[in-house]
PDB file of all heavy atoms in Angstrom:
ATOM      1  N   LEU A 346      12.891  -7.651-190.493  1.00  0.00           N
ATOM      2  CA  LEU A 346      13.052  -9.094-190.438  1.00  0.00           C
ATOM      3  C   LEU A 346      14.534  -9.428-190.341  1.00  0.00           C
ATOM      4  O   LEU A 346      15.367  -8.792-190.994  1.00  0.00           O
ATOM      5  CB  LEU A 346      12.480  -9.772-191.689  1.00  0.00           C
ATOM      6  CG  LEU A 346      11.001  -9.559-192.014  1.00  0.00           C
ATOM      7  CD1 LEU A 346      10.648 -10.304-193.283  1.00  0.00           C
ATOM      8  CD2 LEU A 346      10.146 -10.038-190.855  1.00  0.00           C
ATOM      9  N   ILE A 358      17.198 -14.858-181.434  1.00  0.00           N
ATOM     10  CA  ILE A 358      16.419 -13.695-181.006  1.00  0.00           C
ATOM     11  C   ILE A 358      15.825 -14.024-179.647  1.00  0.00           C
ATOM     12  O   ILE A 358      15.065 -14.989-179.517  1.00  0.00           O
ATOM     13  CB  ILE A 358      15.297 -13.357-182.002  1.00  0.00           C
ATOM     14  CG1 ILE A 358      15.872 -13.010-183.383  1.00  0.00           C
ATOM     15  CG2 ILE A 358      14.463 -12.186-181.481  1.00  0.00           C
ATOM     16  CD1 ILE A 358      14.806 -12.716-184.433  1.00  0.00           C
ATOM     17  N   SER A 398      24.131   9.606-192.855  1.00  0.00           N
ATOM     18  CA  SER A 398      24.025   9.352-194.292  1.00  0.00           C
ATOM     19  C   SER A 398      23.010   8.256-194.535  1.00  0.00           C
ATOM     20  O   SER A 398      22.458   7.666-193.619  1.00  0.00           O
ATOM     21  CB  SER A 398      25.385   8.904-194.840  1.00  0.00           C
ATOM     22  OG  SER A 398      25.701   7.630-194.342  1.00  0.00           O
ATOM     23  N   PRO A 421      11.241   3.628-174.699  1.00  0.00           N
ATOM     24  CA  PRO A 421      10.174   2.647-174.598  1.00  0.00           C
ATOM     25  C   PRO A 421       8.863   3.123-175.193  1.00  0.00           C
ATOM     26  O   PRO A 421       8.122   2.336-175.752  1.00  0.00           O
ATOM     27  CB  PRO A 421      10.060   2.404-173.087  1.00  0.00           C
ATOM     28  CG  PRO A 421      10.671   3.619-172.438  1.00  0.00           C
ATOM     29  CD  PRO A 421      11.742   4.072-173.379  1.00  0.00           C
ATOM     30  N   ARG A 422       8.534   4.432-175.062  1.00  0.00           N
ATOM     31  CA  ARG A 422       7.269   4.893-175.611  1.00  0.00           C
ATOM     32  C   ARG A 422       7.251   4.773-177.123  1.00  0.00           C
ATOM     33  O   ARG A 422       6.259   4.430-177.736  1.00  0.00           O
ATOM     34  CB  ARG A 422       7.033   6.340-175.202  1.00  0.00           C
ATOM     35  CG  ARG A 422       6.732   6.491-173.722  1.00  0.00           C
ATOM     36  CD  ARG A 422       6.323   7.901-173.375  1.00  0.00           C
ATOM     37  NE  ARG A 422       6.026   8.036-171.965  1.00  0.00           N
ATOM     38  CZ  ARG A 422       5.628   9.167-171.412  1.00  0.00           C
ATOM     39  NH1 ARG A 422       5.491  10.262-172.161  1.00  0.00           N
ATOM     40  NH2 ARG A 422       5.372   9.209-170.123  1.00  0.00           N
ATOM     41  N   ARG A 423       8.385   5.054-177.742  1.00  0.00           N
ATOM     42  CA  ARG A 423       8.468   4.927-179.176  1.00  0.00           C
ATOM     43  C   ARG A 423       8.265   3.473-179.578  1.00  0.00           C
ATOM     44  O   ARG A 423       7.668   3.155-180.596  1.00  0.00           O
ATOM     45  CB  ARG A 423       9.837   5.418-179.657  1.00  0.00           C
ATOM     46  CG  ARG A 423       9.775   6.174-180.956  1.00  0.00           C
ATOM     47  CD  ARG A 423      11.154   6.663-181.325  1.00  0.00           C
ATOM     48  NE  ARG A 423      11.412   7.992-180.824  1.00  0.00           N
ATOM     49  CZ  ARG A 423      10.979   9.077-181.418  1.00  0.00           C
ATOM     50  NH1 ARG A 423      10.196   8.988-182.464  1.00  0.00           N
ATOM     51  NH2 ARG A 423      11.289  10.258-180.937  1.00  0.00           N
ATOM     52  N   ALA A 449       1.200 -18.442-193.318  1.00  0.00           N
ATOM     53  CA  ALA A 449       2.214 -19.064-194.169  1.00  0.00           C
ATOM     54  C   ALA A 449       3.364 -18.131-194.488  1.00  0.00           C
ATOM     55  O   ALA A 449       4.475 -18.581-194.701  1.00  0.00           O
ATOM     56  CB  ALA A 449       1.575 -19.546-195.472  1.00  0.00           C
ATOM     57  N   LEU A 484      25.372 -59.592-194.428  1.00  0.00           N
ATOM     58  CA  LEU A 484      25.629 -60.831-193.704  1.00  0.00           C
ATOM     59  C   LEU A 484      25.077 -62.018-194.484  1.00  0.00           C
ATOM     60  O   LEU A 484      24.003 -61.926-195.108  1.00  0.00           O
ATOM     61  CB  LEU A 484      24.975 -60.777-192.324  1.00  0.00           C
ATOM     62  CG  LEU A 484      25.237 -59.510-191.488  1.00  0.00           C
ATOM     63  CD1 LEU A 484      24.384 -59.522-190.238  1.00  0.00           C
ATOM     64  CD2 LEU A 484      26.714 -59.395-191.150  1.00  0.00           C
ATOM     65  N   THR A 492      30.506 -58.328-196.648  1.00  0.00           N
ATOM     66  CA  THR A 492      31.095 -57.089-197.165  1.00  0.00           C
ATOM     67  C   THR A 492      30.620 -55.915-196.337  1.00  0.00           C
ATOM     68  O   THR A 492      29.594 -55.991-195.652  1.00  0.00           O
ATOM     69  CB  THR A 492      30.697 -56.872-198.642  1.00  0.00           C
ATOM     70  OG1 THR A 492      31.339 -55.697-199.139  1.00  0.00           O
ATOM     71  CG2 THR A 492      29.186 -56.699-198.779  1.00  0.00           C
ATOM     72  N   ASP A 518      19.699 -49.875-197.618  1.00  0.00           N
ATOM     73  CA  ASP A 518      19.949 -50.056-199.041  1.00  0.00           C
ATOM     74  C   ASP A 518      19.747 -51.495-199.505  1.00  0.00           C
ATOM     75  O   ASP A 518      19.240 -51.733-200.609  1.00  0.00           O
ATOM     76  CB  ASP A 518      21.376 -49.592-199.355  1.00  0.00           C
ATOM     77  CG  ASP A 518      21.772 -49.829-200.790  1.00  0.00           C
ATOM     78  OD1 ASP A 518      21.430 -48.980-201.631  1.00  0.00           O
ATOM     79  OD2 ASP A 518      22.403 -50.866-201.079  1.00  0.00           O
ATOM     80  N   ARG A 531      22.969 -55.008-191.888  1.00  0.00           N
ATOM     81  CA  ARG A 531      23.046 -54.480-190.529  1.00  0.00           C
ATOM     82  C   ARG A 531      23.750 -53.124-190.574  1.00  0.00           C
ATOM     83  O   ARG A 531      24.865 -52.999-191.076  1.00  0.00           O
ATOM     84  CB  ARG A 531      23.828 -55.436-189.632  1.00  0.00           C
ATOM     85  CG  ARG A 531      24.000 -54.954-188.188  1.00  0.00           C
ATOM     86  CD  ARG A 531      24.615 -56.061-187.336  1.00  0.00           C
ATOM     87  NE  ARG A 531      25.960 -56.423-187.783  1.00  0.00           N
ATOM     88  CZ  ARG A 531      26.583 -57.551-187.458  1.00  0.00           C
ATOM     89  NH1 ARG A 531      25.952 -58.461-186.700  1.00  0.00           N
ATOM     90  NH2 ARG A 531      27.804 -57.805-187.891  1.00  0.00           N
ATOM     91  N   ARG A 544      33.719 -32.566-192.974  1.00  0.00           N
ATOM     92  CA  ARG A 544      33.384 -33.976-192.777  1.00  0.00           C
ATOM     93  C   ARG A 544      33.742 -34.436-191.357  1.00  0.00           C
ATOM     94  O   ARG A 544      33.026 -35.231-190.738  1.00  0.00           O
ATOM     95  CB  ARG A 544      34.149 -34.812-193.823  1.00  0.00           C
ATOM     96  CG  ARG A 544      34.151 -36.305-193.564  1.00  0.00           C
ATOM     97  CD  ARG A 544      32.807 -36.941-193.850  1.00  0.00           C
ATOM     98  NE  ARG A 544      32.789 -38.322-193.402  1.00  0.00           N
ATOM     99  CZ  ARG A 544      33.344 -39.322-194.058  1.00  0.00           C
ATOM    100  NH1 ARG A 544      33.965 -39.100-195.205  1.00  0.00           N
ATOM    101  NH2 ARG A 544      33.272 -40.558-193.586  1.00  0.00           N
ATOM    102  N   LEU A 602      31.377 -35.151-205.607  1.00  0.00           N
ATOM    103  CA  LEU A 602      31.294 -33.802-206.149  1.00  0.00           C
ATOM    104  C   LEU A 602      32.107 -32.823-205.319  1.00  0.00           C
ATOM    105  O   LEU A 602      32.781 -31.942-205.855  1.00  0.00           O
ATOM    106  CB  LEU A 602      29.828 -33.356-206.211  1.00  0.00           C
ATOM    107  CG  LEU A 602      29.583 -31.954-206.791  1.00  0.00           C
ATOM    108  CD1 LEU A 602      30.105 -31.858-208.211  1.00  0.00           C
ATOM    109  CD2 LEU A 602      28.094 -31.605-206.742  1.00  0.00           C
ATOM    110  N   ASP A 609      36.323 -27.788-198.849  1.00  0.00           N
ATOM    111  CA  ASP A 609      36.586 -28.357-197.531  1.00  0.00           C
ATOM    112  C   ASP A 609      35.306 -28.509-196.722  1.00  0.00           C
ATOM    113  O   ASP A 609      35.200 -29.390-195.876  1.00  0.00           O
ATOM    114  CB  ASP A 609      37.568 -27.480-196.752  1.00  0.00           C
ATOM    115  CG  ASP A 609      38.949 -27.444-197.394  1.00  0.00           C
ATOM    116  OD1 ASP A 609      39.341 -28.467-198.002  1.00  0.00           O
ATOM    117  OD2 ASP A 609      39.618 -26.402-197.306  1.00  0.00           O
ATOM    118  N   LEU A 615      21.375 -26.585-205.120  1.00  0.00           N
ATOM    119  CA  LEU A 615      19.981 -26.296-205.424  1.00  0.00           C
ATOM    120  C   LEU A 615      19.710 -26.594-206.892  1.00  0.00           C
ATOM    121  O   LEU A 615      20.507 -26.247-207.766  1.00  0.00           O
ATOM    122  CB  LEU A 615      19.669 -24.834-205.104  1.00  0.00           C
ATOM    123  CG  LEU A 615      18.257 -24.335-205.414  1.00  0.00           C
ATOM    124  CD1 LEU A 615      17.812 -23.335-204.358  1.00  0.00           C
ATOM    125  CD2 LEU A 615      18.196 -23.659-206.797  1.00  0.00           C
ATOM    126  N   GLY A 641      16.415 -35.485-200.017  1.00  0.00           N
ATOM    127  CA  GLY A 641      16.367 -34.029-199.895  1.00  0.00           C
ATOM    128  C   GLY A 641      14.955 -33.493-200.049  1.00  0.00           C
ATOM    129  O   GLY A 641      14.073 -34.150-200.617  1.00  0.00           O
ATOM    130  N   GLY A 648       8.202 -21.726-200.080  1.00  0.00           N
ATOM    131  CA  GLY A 648       9.243 -22.169-199.160  1.00  0.00           C
ATOM    132  C   GLY A 648       8.836 -23.334-198.289  1.00  0.00           C
ATOM    133  O   GLY A 648       9.515 -23.631-197.306  1.00  0.00           O
ATOM    134  N   ALA A 665      12.040 -37.169-212.361  1.00  0.00           N
ATOM    135  CA  ALA A 665      12.353 -37.582-210.991  1.00  0.00           C
ATOM    136  C   ALA A 665      11.048 -37.777-210.238  1.00  0.00           C
ATOM    137  O   ALA A 665      10.024 -37.171-210.568  1.00  0.00           O
ATOM    138  CB  ALA A 665      13.216 -36.526-210.297  1.00  0.00           C
ATOM    139  N   SER A 671       3.353 -35.895-196.958  1.00  0.00           N
ATOM    140  CA  SER A 671       2.306 -36.426-196.085  1.00  0.00           C
ATOM    141  C   SER A 671       2.653 -37.813-195.568  1.00  0.00           C
ATOM    142  O   SER A 671       2.214 -38.208-194.485  1.00  0.00           O
ATOM    143  CB  SER A 671       0.963 -36.474-196.822  1.00  0.00           C
ATOM    144  OG  SER A 671       1.074 -37.220-198.026  1.00  0.00           O
ATOM    145  N   ARG A 688      -3.935 -25.076-193.914  1.00  0.00           N
ATOM    146  CA  ARG A 688      -4.632 -24.138-194.791  1.00  0.00           C
ATOM    147  C   ARG A 688      -6.121 -24.397-194.735  1.00  0.00           C
ATOM    148  O   ARG A 688      -6.561 -25.481-194.463  1.00  0.00           O
ATOM    149  CB  ARG A 688      -4.139 -24.289-196.229  1.00  0.00           C
ATOM    150  CG  ARG A 688      -2.679 -23.823-196.371  1.00  0.00           C
ATOM    151  CD  ARG A 688      -2.265 -23.880-197.832  1.00  0.00           C
ATOM    152  NE  ARG A 688      -0.933 -23.355-197.962  1.00  0.00           N
ATOM    153  CZ  ARG A 688      -0.640 -22.079-198.113  1.00  0.00           C
ATOM    154  NH1 ARG A 688      -1.603 -21.193-198.123  1.00  0.00           N
ATOM    155  NH2 ARG A 688       0.591 -21.669-198.237  1.00  0.00           N
TER     156      ARG A 688
END
Side-chain angles (χ1 to χ4, degrees):
L346 301 180
I358 299 178
S398 69
R422 290 188 179 181
R423 218 178 268 280
L484 311 173
T492 183
D518 176 83
R531 178 172 63 198
R544 167 73 189 282
L602 181 59
D609 295 328
L615 178 144
S671 56
R688 292 185 176 274

